[in-house]
Amino acid sequence: AVHHLSFNRQYEGAPEALEEAIRRAPAWPAPQIELGLMELQSGRDDRALKALQSVAKLDPFNKRAANSLFLLEELATYRQIESEHFIIRYKPGVDEVVAQMMPGLLEKLHEIVSTRFEFTPKRKTVIELMPDHQRFAVRITGMPFVHTIAACTGPVIAMEVPREGQPSQHMGPFDWPRVLQHEYTHTITLGQTRNRIPHWLTEAAAVSMELRPRG
């Protein structure tokens, strides 16, 4: 039941159940791993860091936890830009070029999507620009293998920076405003339903909001 709450991103109910499991079995790594990864996806980095640091002591060989802890510690060094409805986080350096272009466009996307669904998230949506594909994949799953370029976990949207380079590191250039409009629709519909919307329906809504022909 605890895993079911976490898997379905019930960010309000799952922590209490997981913390009770940890209280009852403090030497069992599984619920602590689950809590750390779930809090990372919810954007509550301070809680995720605490859980994952504990896991590192109990089970230093768990790759998902170790990868996520490494990334979480790196995220603490990222810079951020804040607008009315968004927080954009990026690694210092060349990624700032993309980050600086985002605030105005994101606010326009917010107006379009929130008007369509008549809903505004209660908290600012975090947009995290990952400098390469492996970091992006770890941000979403804890493992460096994901065949996509952006993903939404509700209050957090992770996206790798559109860049040419080695295929193992970069997926190449892409239409990032269209991608973000798709992902932000997930944020809206997930928030509107407290993450209870069927996956096929939030995906259909997100595709419908791309507002461009298929191609």
Side-chain angles (χ1 to χ4, degrees):
V2 172
H3 176 74
H4 182 74
L5 284 171
S6 177
F7 181 78
N8 287 282
R9 295 173 180 166
Q10 295 303 302
Y11 297 133
E12 301 307 318
E16 183 178 350
L18 286 166
E19 286 166 2
E20 177 61 20
I22 293 167
R23 186 188 69 79
R24 295 186 184 190
W28 186 27
Q32 297 191 42
I33 293 170
E34 197 76 28
L35 178 63
L37 295 177
M38 188 209 63
E39 293 290 21
L40 184 58
Q41 291 192 357
S42 75
R44 297 185 289 234
D45 290 0
D46 54 337
R47 299 184 188 183
L49 182 61
K50 182 180 178 180
L52 291 172
Q53 286 175 335
S54 178
V55 170
K57 297 176 182 178
L58 290 173
D59 185 4
F61 300 103
N62 186 284
K63 289 296 184 182
R64 292 183 72 202
N67 289 341
S68 297
L69 179 58
F70 170 82
L71 182 60
L72 190 56
E73 290 173 341
E74 182 178 282
L75 284 171
T77 70
Y78 281 25
R79 295 177 182 171
Q80 70 179 40
I81 302 170
E82 195 162 346
S83 66
E84 184 177 357
H85 297 100
F86 298 91
I87 296 172
I88 303 157
R89 303 175 71 186
Y90 63 95
K91 187 174 183 177
V94 295
D95 295 350
E96 185 174 357
V97 174
V98 177
Q100 291 288 351
M101 292 190 290
M102 286 185 162
L105 188 139
L106 283 170
E107 291 300 333
K108 291 180 181 177
L109 296 185
H110 165 77
E111 183 177 357
I112 292 169
V113 181
S114 64
T115 298
R116 168 66 179 80
F117 292 95
E118 300 181 352
F119 180 81
T120 295
K122 295 180 180 179
R123 55 189 276 201
K124 293 186 179 184
T125 301
V126 178
I127 310 291
E128 291 185 345
L129 288 177
M130 298 290 101
D132 56 48
H133 188 65
Q134 288 188 331
R135 282 176 172 80
F136 161 72
V138 169
R139 182 64 182 84
I140 300 304
T141 68
M143 296 298 286
F145 308 106
V146 171
H147 299 291
T148 186
I149 53 177
C152 170
T153 59
V156 177
I157 297 172
M159 183 185 82
E160 65 178 85
V161 175
R163 180 183 300 149
E164 292 183 347
Q166 295 181 358
S168 61
Q169 294 293 318
H170 303 291
M171 299 289 280
F174 56 88
D175 186 349
W176 61 264
R178 181 178 182 176
V179 168
L180 284 177
Q181 183 150 326
H182 176 109
E183 298 301 335
Y184 188 57
T185 302
H186 287 314
T187 296
I188 292 284
T189 55
L190 288 169
Q192 196 171 28
T193 62
R194 293 190 297 168
N195 288 9
R196 288 173 168 82
I197 186 173
H199 179 77
W200 67 265
L201 185 52
T202 185
E203 198 62 49
V207 171
S208 75
M209 288 306 296
E210 291 182 25
L211 305 179
R212 297 182 186 181
R214 295 181 181 179

